[in-house]
Amino acid sequence: MAERSTAAVDVADNGGDEPSSAKADRATTDGTAQAKDTEGASPGSAEDAQERTEVIPATPDLHSGHKLAERYRLEECVTRLDGFSSWRAVDEKLRRAVGVHLLTADHPRARSVLAAARSSALLGDPRFVQVLDAVEEDDVVYVVHEWLPDAVELTALLAAGPMEAHDAYQLVSQLSQAMAAAHREGLAHLRLTPGAVLRSSTGQYRIRGLAVNAALRGITAERPLRTDTEAIGALLYAALTQRWPYENDAYGLSGLPKGMGLIAPDQVRAGVHRGLSELAMRALANDGATASRQEPPCTTPDELAKAVVAMPRILPPEPTFSGPPAYQRTTYQQGTYGRPSAIPATAPQPVMAPPAPLQTRTGRLLKWTVSALLIAALGLGSWQLAETLLDRRGGAADPVPSQNPSEGTTDNKGQATGEPLDIDDAVEYFPDGKAQDPADVGLTFDGNTTTYWRSKTFIDGPQLAPFKQGVGIMYDIGADQKVASAAIDLKFGGDHTKISLYAADSLSSSTPLDGLKRIATTETTGSRAVLKTKSPVSTQFVLVWITDVPRSPADDYSGDGYKQGLTNVRFTG
């Protein structure tokens, strides 16, 4: 039997730092290329979060090429940690790749690992990576499970950026329903991290390590339902923001700023779906209570699954096209309709020359006759047209109505006057469907400089794109008028605010920005923005559109971050 050694197990509540002995052994596991098995329990879930020391046997001294049960040939060790190792292997009987967890039979967790693996195998739910075998043989305990070579680990997906709303919706929907089914059979995961979630090529999410991953690491929990629910909330939060919802960095994701507490996802990233943001907060714990104040907490995966079902369904984004297909000449007269001719290429065929023009005396006479008839027809048509027009005007002798010299050609409507333009109405403009503060748009032209409309607070800036294209307000100036300039007082100064004016066709919150005409742009670090058009533009509706906002300290309404507020908006004709 292998020599015993002593190892300390230190699993952080927030999925943070892993034992230094494990950092050198991070590699791929369970069938995802370069997917790391990062240490750390699900946030706030495990009793093993406290450091403890126990006698752990050394990892079984096996090597590539070794066969288990004369069937499973070990190929590559992908994890070696805490007295157990994980391998990519080949099932020579069925000729397929599998994963294998190995530990010695006298390992203090061997019995619990076997029990967890056998219970998980009985579930038989395709949403989980299946346990194929669990055996104790020759002083070694091993667990064989599926290997999914076409799947991508959630860790890798999040490294590329936050998910679209539809993808995040599918993630939380599938995970919550799968874990609800597992808990109904008495099974908990307790270590549901980004490394435990895989997405197949068909978009199906698969959960690996149900009960087994926790047993391998000695993780237990007093409230397994709450633990797994909070873990799903953390995964949804990470999918929406590309941040881990705790102060420590984990799983390749940056944690939240120190001392700010748990911030809603739509305050971390611009453009986050509000319903999903609220759902993540309902699932996450904040000092033992839900982080959401608007709705009751979701404390079980079943409650979370029902909350997802109660949401309006989030549809996938419309497909985008780079442009119309390239023009292809068609050959209708040849019967091919744009397809290559089926006739094999041959030598060029002689082309029949057109008949020679009429050169005889009779031919020349015929040409002159046709020409004379055409001239006569044109003259007759012109005379009839002129007669019709005269009839409509009352006859050629009728006098043409005169214009009074004192009457202008226009009523000066739409002319530039240099005078202030009244604002009749306004709406917040949010073509992405994510409003900021729609109830307070009227405060931007109420004549009171102490009241204002404000954006939400964002962690990233000054530029809001690509997470949100911008924030703004659409104004109705009553009629089609020439707009020459705008002066806007800003709530926050600093580096920097970028504002543009657009002319619009309607007072709409959802008209696509690329359908509007930009007429002025400015950038300022002060508390006032002045915009002037190159020449007055005639329009009834004007959009004030902000794409860059400064970083500002916390106030009575929001915390420290990138934000802006508008007050005392004026337009000049």
Side-chain angles (χ1 to χ4, degrees), residues 1 111 140 157 159 326 332 378 412 434 550:
M1 183 55 56
R111 304 277 78 75
V140 173
L157 295 175
Y332 303 101
L378 290 173
N412 289 329
K434 311 298 188 300

Side-chain angles (χ1 to χ4, degrees), residues 518-539:
R518 185 166 63 181
I519 58 179
T521 299
T522 191
E523 186 174 306
T524 180
T525 58
S527 58
R528 173 171 294 184
V530 177
L531 302 96
K532 295 183 179 180
T533 64
K534 291 183 178 179
S535 59
V537 177
S538 181
T539 184

Side-chain angles (χ1 to χ4, degrees), residues 198-420:
L198 309 174
R199 187 171 70 181
S200 70
S201 58
T202 62
Q204 176 72 36
Y205 288 97
R206 304 283 299 274
I207 301 173
R208 64 183 173 190
L210 177 66
V212 175
N213 280 5
L216 284 168
R217 293 162 176 81
I219 297 173
T220 59
E222 292 181 353
R223 299 184 299 165
L225 287 167
R226 187 69 185 94
T227 295
D228 284 342
T229 306
E230 185 184 346
I232 298 172
L235 295 179
L236 174 59
Y237 193 105
L240 295 172
T241 65
Q242 202 186 14
R243 284 181 177 267
W244 195 238
Y246 300 89
E247 291 188 351
N248 291 346
D249 300 346
Y251 313 113
L253 302 173
S254 299
L256 298 180
K258 306 292 184 182
M260 293 188 64
L262 186 56
I263 311 168
D266 59 358
Q267 296 294 308
V268 175
R269 291 276 188 189
V272 170
H273 188 277
R274 181 168 295 180
L276 291 176
S277 175
E278 178 68 19
L279 197 65
M281 298 297 276
R282 292 176 64 184
L284 283 167
N286 186 11
D287 295 331
T290 178
S292 170
R293 297 181 180 179
Q294 286 75 26
E295 299 288 343
C298 296
T299 58
T300 69
D302 187 59
E303 290 179 357
L304 184 57
K306 290 178 180 178
V308 175
V309 172
M311 287 178 57
R313 185 178 180 184
I314 301 176
L315 300 177
E318 294 291 334
T320 57
F321 300 96
S322 57
Y327 171 75
Q328 182 179 12
R329 181 182 296 276
T330 59
T331 52
Y332 303 101
Q333 69 275 16
Q334 297 180 6
T336 61
Y337 199 68
R339 296 186 296 273
S341 174
I343 302 175
T346 60
Q349 299 296 319
V351 179
M352 298 298 293
L358 297 175
Q359 299 295 338
T360 65
R361 188 174 190 179
T362 303
R364 287 194 296 270
L365 179 61
L366 181 59
K367 287 193 296 181
W368 283 110
T369 302
V370 172
S371 299
L373 290 173
L374 288 174
I375 293 172
L378 290 173
L380 179 62
S382 300
W383 176 79
Q384 289 177 336
L385 177 61
E387 186 178 40
T388 301
L389 292 174
L390 288 173
D391 288 343
R392 288 183 179 179
R393 294 192 57 181
D398 292 345
V400 178
S402 62
Q403 178 175 294
N404 189 335
S406 64
E407 294 177 357
T409 57
T410 67
D411 59 359
N412 289 329
K413 179 181 179 181
Q415 299 297 316
T417 63
E419 298 295 328

Side-chain angles (χ1 to χ4, degrees), residues 154-166:
L154 184 59
T155 306
L157 295 175
L158 297 181
M163 288 185 172
E164 295 287 343
H166 173 71

